Amino acid sequence: MTQSRNEPLAGEERSTRRRTVLAALGALPVLTAASSVARASDAGVVTAAATAVIDPSATRQTIRGFGGMSHAAWIGELTAAQRDTAFGTGDGRLGFSLLRIPVPEDRAAWNRDLATAKRAVELGATVIASPWNPPASMVETFVHGSQTDARRLRYDMYGAYAQHLNDFNTYLRNNGVNLYGISVQNEPDYAHDWTWWTPTEMVRFLRENAGSIGTRVIAPESFQYLKNMSDPILNDSAALANVDIIGAHLYGTPFANFPYPLFKQKGAGKELWMTEVYYPNSSDSADLWPQALDVGEHIHRAMVDAEFQAYIWWYIRRSYGPMREDGGISKRGATMAHFARFVRPGYVRVEATAKPATDVYVSAYRGGGSTVVVAVNKGAAAVSQQFTLANSAGPSVSTWLTDASRNVASQGTTAVSNGSFTVTLPARSMMTFVIR
């Protein structure tokens, strides 16, 4: 993604290409904020739901974390306080455990995001990096459809490019940041403003050159999780051997395309990450409510339907992002924090009744001696929701709530009786339950 073509902010250019493409796909709904949101007590209506059964013994994917992008060259560096807000885990923090940074083509710029990366690591986060372009000396132009000045990596520079990525990895390691992984290319299939790669070129690079890179390799980071970019990797044993993380972006990707059967069939030993998105758009304020609940559903779908192990937002600090420009946590950020603060790296998603009622979405995770349940109620009525833990039960449940007026606010504890507890999910709200 580039700054200029995605953000309708003052003083910045904006290309209409992505908006036009995604609008045509009809995949990014724009909602309007309600003038007021009635709470359950105001409306006097509480609907019943089917029991949500949580089975901690039925394990799914291991979670690597939730996070966002820092790109100092385009929007400026995070301040020291903003880094602590992003990666701290206490009250008033986002709890991010993942940071994505760019790989500048110019070595002189390699220190640009270093301060944020180092602080993220100090606070327990993991860092990955993605390039938008190789060094200019490695690039040639060609005709790509109507684009006469399209860029691609020269075939005789594949080895040099692998060394470039490896050198960036070494630079960060020497400066206190051990990259968890590095990408071959950001959005190679939506690259009008950067460097194009075909699926064949990506497979060739992975087969012949990626094995020399000294950290985990991420590919292909398709802009819309288009499987024609990743299927060839999964179907080529030599390429697959040299990739560690299948990365994808979810711009305009319909929920129906979230599952990936071929990855389940052939991706044993590999990881599946969602490495960039904003949702539902970049034009509205991140504080619109109940629109921000769309983010909660989107993360739920990414974890449950797609079974991603990571979820990374675009800019951490932006008008439409988890952190406002003033450094405060937005409503979209609060919905992310319901996952990020409580579902920590290494936790495992466990089986749960995913939709016990209309507009209610439930996912569950196990780790650190706790079971974490995240529930999103997008409906206009409160829901009386019973949760039952199969083959397991803690003595009490700690609860946090976000609604129109509160952000990840502690609601105290609830007792567990015979492995079950019942709570009221307020209308248009999000709740996290930690069962110990």
Side-chain angles (χ1 to χ4, degrees), residues 317-333:
R317 184 196 65 219
R318 217 56 176 162
S319 63
Y320 57 84
M323 184 187 295
R324 297 190 301 266
E325 293 289 355
D326 65 3
I329 293 175
S330 69
K331 284 296 187 182
R332 290 182 181 181

Side-chain angles (χ1 to χ4, degrees), residues 22-253:
L22 299 185
L25 291 166
L28 290 185
V30 178
L31 308 181
T32 57
S35 58
S36 65
V37 177
R39 297 187 185 180
S41 57
D42 299 329
V45 175
V46 178
T47 63
T51 298
V53 178
I54 315 299
D55 187 354
S57 67
T59 58
R60 299 296 181 254
Q61 77 270 31
T62 299
I63 305 303
R64 297 301 177 197
F66 305 85
M69 178 89 190
S70 177
H71 202 311
W74 287 352
I75 62 165
E77 182 64 289
L78 296 176
T79 67
Q82 289 166 357
R83 293 168 193 147
D84 287 355
T85 297
F87 301 101
T89 57
D91 290 342
R93 302 290 190 261
L94 285 167
F96 283 176
S97 52
L98 293 175
L99 170 66
R100 182 174 179 243
I101 61 173
V103 181
E105 53 255 48
D106 182 0
R107 288 172 180 254
W110 280 3
N111 65 343
R112 220 181 255 146
D113 295 280
L114 183 59
T116 291
K118 291 179 72 171
R119 183 56 177 155
V121 169
E122 288 171 358
L123 292 171
T126 291
V127 183
I128 65 168
S130 297
W132 269 245
N133 291 298
S137 61
M138 300 181 189
V139 174
E140 65 183 4
T141 59
F142 72 109
V143 176
H144 185 277
S146 61
Q147 185 182 2
T148 58
D149 60 347
R151 284 169 286 182
R152 69 183 172 204
L153 179 66
R154 286 166 43 190
Y155 293 165
D156 63 339
M157 287 290 177
Y158 277 29
Y161 182 57
Q163 187 61 52
H164 169 74
L165 298 179
N166 208 36
D167 287 348
F168 182 74
N169 176 57
T170 300
Y171 170 82
L172 286 184
R173 185 175 64 245
N174 290 343
N175 284 277
V177 177
N178 291 321
L179 281 182
Y180 188 86
I182 195 166
S183 173
V184 175
Q185 172 65 50
N186 171 74
E187 296 183 347
D189 54 343
Y190 199 82
H192 188 281
D193 298 316
W194 48 86
T195 302
W196 294 96
W197 290 66
T198 67
T200 299
E201 289 166 345
M202 185 69 68
V203 165
R204 175 181 171 179
F205 180 83
L206 292 172
R207 287 174 59 97
E208 299 178 4
N209 304 100
S212 66
I213 298 172
T215 187
R216 294 173 186 84
V217 174
I218 305 168
E221 289 201 286
S222 166
F223 88 102
Q224 202 178 48
Y225 201 15
L226 299 179
K227 308 305 192 294
N228 69 308
M229 289 298 300
S230 48
D231 281 357
I233 299 170
L234 292 168
N235 285 322
D236 188 299
S237 59
L240 187 59
N242 286 334
V243 72
D244 302 279
I245 300 169
I246 298 296
H249 300 177
L250 292 179
Y251 291 108
T253 310

